[in-house]
Amino acid sequence: MARLPRSTPRDLTPDALALYEKITSGPRGGFMIDAAGGLTGPFNAMLLSPTVGDPLQQLGAAIRYRTSLPDRARELAILAVAAHHDSAFERAAHEPIARELGFTDDQLESLRAGAPVALQDPVEATVLEIARALLAHGDLDDAEYAALPPAQLFELTTLVGYYSTLALQLRVFRV
């Protein structure tokens, strides 16, 4: 059972309402609103503290829409985090995106299970390997560190940290 009731716009403080409007007016907004107007997933909790929630959602938007990671590689990393943290919400949110990007049911099942994934693209395979290493060890060996350009490695470590934060919040608030 959810620990945090969903807030509708009429329930919000002015700062929380401003954050709500930022989230709902962006590219994630349309599918993050329930029938009563409340935010779903991790976004409802962000309204508890707009001074922290706003920078967090801005970071998420940057990771999703403005990094140099290819879309398929980004979704692989997100789904690796979802599998590692057993985050049903993140799986439900990102598996449809992965399917639209051409991932097969077998590939998605392998991701869920933490098993090897048949990938043709070497960048995708590298991103998945590095994401899984970060999740398992919180660090990289020298070969893993050197496998991506530094800017992409920065973006990937940030992505793994961001989605791990969301997985923690989703678990704690029982979303």
Side-chain angles (χ1 to χ4, degrees), residues 55-74:
L56 184 61
Q57 71 85 22
Q58 287 180 47
L59 176 61
I63 288 168
R64 280 288 311 284
Y65 304 109
R66 298 190 299 271
T67 68
S68 65
L69 292 169
D71 291 345
R72 285 176 51 96
R74 182 195 65 241

Side-chain angles (χ1 to χ4, degrees), residues 44-92:
N44 187 49
M46 291 178 191
L47 300 174
L48 294 170
S49 175
T51 58
V52 175
D54 189 24
L56 184 61
Q57 71 85 22
Q58 287 180 47
L59 176 61
I63 288 168
R64 280 288 311 284
Y65 304 109
R66 298 190 299 271
T67 68
S68 65
L69 292 169
D71 291 345
R72 285 176 51 96
R74 182 195 65 241
E75 292 305 317
L76 279 168
I78 293 168
L79 290 171
V81 174
H84 179 80
H85 292 291
D86 193 24
S87 180
F89 180 86
E90 291 302 341
R91 276 194 305 275

Side-chain angles (χ1 to χ4, degrees), residues 81-116:
V81 174
H84 179 80
H85 292 291
D86 193 24
S87 180
F89 180 86
E90 291 302 341
R91 276 194 305 275
H94 287 275
E95 283 184 358
I97 297 167
R99 278 190 185 89
E100 288 178 14
L101 293 171
F103 286 100
T104 66
D105 287 339
D106 288 343
Q107 289 171 316
L108 294 175
E109 179 55 39
S110 294
L111 280 166
R112 277 184 230 112

